[in-house]
Each structure stands twice: as C-alpha cells, then as structure tokens.
Amino acid sequence: MNNKYRPYTLIAELTYRCPLHCPYCSNPSDLAEYGKEIDTDTWIRVFQEAEELGVIQLNLTGGEPLLRDDLELLVERARRLDLYTNLITSGVPLTFERLTRLRERGLDSVQISIQSTRGAVSDRLAGTPAFNRKLDAMRWATSLRLPLTLNVVLHRENIAEIEEFIALAEHVAADRLELANTQYLGWALKNRHALLPTREHIKWARTVAAEAKTRLRGRMEVVFVTPDYYTEYPKSCMEGWGRRFIVVNPEGLALPCHLAHTIPGLQFERVTQHRLADIWRRSSGFNRFRGEEWLPDPCRTCDRRAIDFGGCRCQAFHLMGDAGLPDPACTLAPGHHVIESARAQAGRSVSIPVLFEHRTGLGHSSR
C-alpha cells in the first residue's frame, strides 16, 4: 500500500438511532430501507484491523452512540489497542454513572453538541427537551477531567448567539469550542432555505470567533468552520477522498466519507464480508476519487489541485448531479452559479420555525 494513503482516523457510526430530530441531521432520509446494525464482535474486529492499517484515533459516533448497550465494551477494546477514543454525543441519554464507567474503561475525550444557548430554542431545534441534560453532561465530563469539545452546528437561527456560545464554553471549562457552520447535505440540504445565513452573518461571526481565539489561546481552542457557500475555494473534504479517514456506518459499509454511499454508481464493501485493509487498498469506491489523476478541468491544471482535490464529491453530486464535476463551492467551477443562487435566497425573510423540515423516527444528533 502507498503510505501516502495511510488512514489515521476511524469514524465508527455505531447506530442511526437517536432521540433528537435536528433539521440538519446527516442520517439517511430513507432510514426504513437500511438493515440492522453490525454486532459487537464485528466492531471489535474492525477496530483491530484499523489499528493494523495505522489508525491512531477512533471517533465513536452515530446517531447517538450511547444507545448501544455494548459501548463500554467497545471503549475497553479500543483502549487495549491504544486507540485514542473520542465519544461524539448529544449528551442524551447520558448519566454521570455511565460516563464514569466509560472513563474507567479508557475513554479519552468527549464531544457534546448543543443547538442553542437558550433552552426553549435548543429544545425546539433538537425536536425534544434536551437542553438541561446537555448542560449536565458537560459538567460531568469536566468533573471527570475528560477533555471536552463543545460542538455547535451554526446556521441562521443560532449564529447570532456566537458570543453566548463562547461564554458557555468558558463557563463549562471546555477544552475546545467547535463553531462549525452547517454542511448543506442530507437533511440540511432539504432545509437550506431556512438554515443558510447571509454573508453579513458569517463575516460578523468569524470576527467574533477570531477575537475569542486570540483571547483564549492557551486555555481553550476555538475553531470556526466557514460554510462552503461563503468560501472562495472548496475545502479539502476529509483531507482528500480516501486519504486519511475511514467511515464505517451502522450497516458495516466502509466509506471515505459519511455520505459517499449516496452517490450512484460507486461500489463500497461491507466489513462483514471483507477485511478493512482489503477495502482500503482495493475498493473501487475508495479509489475512484483518490489523488489527482481523476480531476476534471479546470481542477486538473489548478494550483490548488493538491490542496483541495476538487472539493466535496458528495456536494458535486447533490448540487450538480455528477460527483466527477468540480465542487460548485469553488468560484472557478462552471457550476458555481448554484451556490450564488442559494446565497441570494438566504437574504430573503424566512419564518424559520415554520419552514424547517424535521425528520421523524431515527435520527442523527452528533454533528
């Protein structure tokens, strides 16, 4: 295997189940068509095969990973493999006793999401009363000396609270504050008309975050992720397709990113049928957009081709209908007009609580 394609992080999506109903949910919109979750023994084998490939970090996510009864055992086995293990959770339904057990089994850090600093707004966005339980979970994490990341998915309704989010992160003594603007795929794309902020929102929020980053340097890391819709060039999605990350979803599909399986025509294998190393090296799906050889014009001759690798393949497909096209978020892309159109619509007045399309049933809360 070419070492430049060594994976460093395994993202284990343990379940699609979740008590929340967030309007930017990244779970599939057709969950009824998905099969059962892979079992404990399979996950343990996947962890070992990932470590043998060179993976050093494990993100346990979902859905809501706390809904897996075997979570403690999975954490324990990850610790035996010396994988740095991070729990990505909504904080619901966590208890202090369970978090203590997870810490004792070897959990290294925890990331907890919050929708708003205002209880009623947070509960409405989450689709269920969860705000106070999230605050409890944050306090429990810091009391157990677990490194805590406070994750905020920013969008039009909560971006004005950015100063309050920073204050909350300081109050709960978070080690890291991730102010991550919504990625407009999945349910977020369905709700883009109600979620996408204006350029003025983004400019102001970025300035506030930059000031906090400077003020809190050495005490708390502050990260502000600008939405693709307001950048000149696209991001290097997952540090490049099939270069550094492996995602394994609840059914056992091994993927280069969370939504790669939504692109028609790509073939991905299941860890229940193949070894992870064989999938990583030989999967046609993983190899389809690796490196630079596949790049279309104008990406092929662009000075940034080894920086962003053409941008997000899922975004290219879901906005342009072809995953092989340049990411339309790029100002040089022929399809950039679809981004410009979405930005123009963001300036219009929208009654957000009315226009949200909430998913029902199973869902995703962790991003």
Side-chain angles (χ1 to χ4, degrees), residues 154-163 165 179 181-182 184 192-210 224-227 229-230 342-350 352:
L154 290 175
H155 47 80
R156 193 190 312 179
E157 187 164 4
N158 68 5
I159 198 168
E161 297 179 50
I162 191 165
E163 292 172 322
F165 284 123
L179 299 162
N181 276 276
T182 304
Y184 292 97
R192 185 180 64 185
H193 60 287
L195 290 169
L196 185 65
T198 65
R199 187 181 295 278
E200 290 71 26
H201 286 138
I202 297 297
K203 183 178 179 180
W204 171 77
R206 187 190 295 117
T207 299
V208 173
F224 183 86
V225 182
T226 304
Y229 283 58
Y230 291 104
R343 288 201 303 253
Q345 292 177 8
R348 300 174 185 173
S349 177
V350 176
I352 292 175

Side-chain angles (χ1 to χ4, degrees), residues 7 9-12 53 55 244-248 254-256 276 280 286:
T9 301
L10 172 65
I11 300 174
L53 267 174
V55 165
R244 294 291 179 258
F245 289 82
I246 303 176
V247 178
V248 177
L255 305 163
L276 197 61
W280 177 257
F286 269 87

Side-chain angles (χ1 to χ4, degrees), residues 132-153:
N132 290 328
R133 284 179 284 177
K134 288 173 177 287
L135 296 181
D136 287 340
M138 294 172 203
R139 288 191 286 265
W140 296 334
T142 54
S143 72
L144 292 170
R145 299 186 181 277
L146 272 168
L148 170 65
T149 294
L150 179 59
N151 171 261
V152 182
V153 178

Side-chain angles (χ1 to χ4, degrees), residues 239-253:
E239 298 185 28
W241 181 280
R243 293 171 62 89
R244 294 291 179 258
F245 289 82
I246 303 176
V247 178
V248 177
N249 76 7
E251 291 187 296
L253 274 180

Side-chain angles (χ1 to χ4, degrees), residues 80-113:
R80 291 185 191 179
L81 294 167
D82 202 26
L83 294 172
Y84 184 92
T85 304
N86 179 40
L87 177 66
I88 301 176
T89 176
S90 67
V92 182
L94 188 62
T95 64
F96 179 74
E97 291 73 21
R98 191 171 192 197
L99 188 58
T100 300
R101 290 198 303 272
L102 291 167
R103 182 71 164 116
E104 291 170 347
R105 297 290 184 98
L107 185 66
D108 290 294
S109 61
V110 62
Q111 174 179 307
I112 298 174
S113 64

Side-chain angles (χ1 to χ4, degrees), residues 214-235:
T214 299
R215 177 174 60 84
L216 296 170
R217 183 171 289 118
R219 286 196 289 142
M220 181 173 68
E221 181 183 9
V222 178
V223 178
F224 183 86
V225 182
T226 304
D228 293 352
Y229 283 58
Y230 291 104
T231 57
E232 184 177 2
Y233 303 111
K235 301 179 182 67

